[in-house]
Amino acid sequence: DSGVTQTPKHLITATGQRVTLRCSPRSGDLSVYWYQQSLDQGLQFLIQYYNGEERAKGNILERFSAQQFPDLHSELNLSSLELGDSALYFCASSVAGRSDEQFFGPGTRLTVL
Amino acid sequence: QKEVEQDPGPLSVPEGAIVSLNCTYSNSAFQYFMWYRQYSRKGPELLMYTYSSGNKEDGRFTAQVDKSSKYISLFIRDSQPSDSATYLCAMRREGGAQKLVFGQGTRLTINP
């Protein structure tokens, strides 16, 4: 168990809908990262937050947004969902300055029908 | 062309064999190199971490980085069925945005 929690584990929804994925980092970790993992694209970095502030952006679509709250939990919002958004979404956390040692949560499996 | 290339396999070897997993990369600015292991339906977990070139050993695992060839390797000695997983290489630049760039992952099966 990495200490990172994600909810829900599974999510099934329809195209055009909006969903929110939630992540709680390990105790004491200020950095949170979001990734998308699909069969064809592998593990793709989406966005990083550090202590409530956006720190780095990757291949995140404009339909996706994220935030980190004062208690350090983070949410990833996915809107206007498309079939191609079906994937595993992982959250990871790390201590400050150690992005190379990230601890991953169990992931949320999103299925868009 | 992807920044990090990794053969997705699958790779199947008998128990006890030495396994070699590799990644190549194109960005010479990468300085930090990692190997993550991902079991089915689980999140990745960090196995090995290396800064710049050289070797690092941890038990049955050895990580090698050859920056001149832009090539990294992970060796697993005395492989066990419990090593069956997907292995992902990852790397990042020094400073700047500390985002990790992952390889596609190699799916490894160790047969008893």
Side-chain angles (χ1 to χ4, degrees):
Chain A
D1 184 357
S2 67
V4 178
T5 60
Q6 287 186 251
T7 56
K9 286 186 178 179
H10 302 279
L11 202 48
I12 301 175
T13 189
T15 54
Q17 295 298 304
R18 172 188 169 95
V19 297
T20 297
L21 313 183
R22 183 188 168 103
C23 166
S24 293
R26 292 189 320 155
S27 177
D29 286 357
L30 298 180
S31 287
V32 169
Y33 313 80
W34 285 98
Y35 292 87
Q36 179 191 61
Q37 188 175 42
S38 60
L39 281 175
D40 56 342
Q41 293 293 322
L43 195 61
Q44 298 282 313
F45 169 73
L46 294 177
I47 197 164
Q48 177 198 359
Y49 277 82
Y50 174 78
N51 201 22
E53 300 288 327
E54 182 184 303
R55 182 58 65 93
K57 239 177 181 176
N59 301 322
I60 188 166
L61 299 171
E62 284 192 15
R63 301 183 285 110
F64 296 1
S65 64
Q67 54 184 329
Q68 186 179 26
F69 294 87
D71 67 352
L72 301 178
H73 92 271
S74 178
E75 292 181 356
L76 179 67
N77 300 296
L78 315 176
S79 61
S80 302
L81 285 168
E82 301 175 359
L83 295 177
D85 297 328
S86 296
L88 267 170
Y89 291 84
F90 287 104
C91 166
S93 73
S94 73
V95 299
R98 288 301 310 273
S99 66
D100 36 273
E101 189 169 11
Q102 296 183 21
F103 294 84
F104 282 76
T108 293
R109 182 173 294 277
L110 173 66
T111 303
V112 183
L113 300 176
Chain B
Q1 185 187 1
K2 293 184 177 181
E3 277 189 290
V4 180
E5 298 279 356
Q6 184 177 8
D7 186 341
L11 181 62
S12 182
V13 301
E15 183 176 355
I18 296 175
V19 177
S20 172
L21 304 167
N22 312 292
C23 288
T24 59
Y25 62 95
S26 57
N27 190 341
S28 57
F30 287 142
Q31 291 280 7
Y32 296 85
F33 304 91
M34 288 127 289
W35 286 94
Y36 281 79
R37 177 176 62 194
Q38 185 176 20
Y39 290 113
S40 181
R41 301 184 184 280
K42 300 285 187 183
E45 57 174 325
L46 181 66
L47 259 186
M48 301 283 287
Y49 156 79
T50 310
Y51 174 72
S52 194
S53 284
N55 295 358
K56 187 171 186 178
E57 190 173 318
D58 184 2
R60 298 183 296 109
F61 298 89
T62 300
Q64 288 185 353
V65 175
D66 181 349
K67 290 189 66 183
S68 62
S69 302
K70 297 190 181 69
Y71 188 87
I72 71 171
S73 302
L74 177 71
F75 297 95
I76 307 174
R77 291 182 299 281
D78 187 25
S79 56
Q80 304 294 312
S82 59
D83 296 327
S84 298
T86 296
Y87 290 80
L88 302 113
C89 62
M91 46 199 81
R92 74 167 179 91
R93 295 164 40 194
E94 180 95 59
Q98 296 188 345
K99 65 174 188 176
L100 297 184
V101 181
F102 282 83
Q104 187 79 0
T106 299
R107 188 171 177 182
L108 172 67
T109 300
I110 310 296
N111 301 303

